[in-house]
Amino acid sequence: MVLNGISKQNLKVYLGTLLPIYGWRTYAPFREDLKNEVNAWIRTTNDADGFVDFDKAVQDPNHIEAFAPGFDSGDHLHPSFPAYEAMSNAVPESFLK
């Protein structure tokens, strides 16, 4: 992977998907569509060394546009502390070496 010469430095670039935003005060279907397009690119691009799927780690499997129960901090935009733990558990150990 070459991103502005980073590979010459022996550094790795990892991306993270965008989180659910259903219920946020400015939520609209076009924002969900945009988030999904960005996440699809992150999940399929060869322009990075890998990605962490934070979206899947915290989404409600029955309503994927929203945080899973207990993972919303209350504003429908920021994760709760348990969600941050789920997000950290989603990071592959190989990324940390």
Side-chain angles (χ1 to χ4, degrees):
M1 202 286 302
V2 178
L3 185 64
N4 296 328
I6 289 177
S7 65
K8 293 177 186 175
Q9 303 286 328
N10 249 358
L11 300 175
K12 302 266 185 187
V13 174
Y14 300 108
L15 305 175
T17 55
L18 302 176
L19 301 179
I21 59 168
Y22 184 80
W24 172 242
R25 61 183 172 81
T26 64
Y27 179 84
F30 81 92
R31 293 188 198 286
E32 185 69 25
D33 293 343
L34 180 58
K35 179 199 82 163
N36 290 334
E37 287 177 36
V38 170
N39 284 351
W41 178 82
I42 289 170
R43 291 175 178 126
T44 60
T45 187
N46 292 321
D47 291 334
D49 295 300
F51 73 95
V52 181
D53 204 335
F54 294 127
D55 183 42
K56 290 217 186 290
V58 300
Q59 68 185 208
D60 183 340
N62 298 314
H63 186 219
I64 62 173
E65 298 86 2
F67 282 106
F71 283 178
D72 186 340
S73 69
D75 66 2
H76 310 296
L77 182 65
H78 297 95
S80 66
F81 287 117
Y84 281 118
E85 184 174 6
M87 291 167 64
S88 71
N89 291 335
V91 177
E93 192 171 320
S94 63
F95 287 11
L96 305 174
K97 295 180 180 184

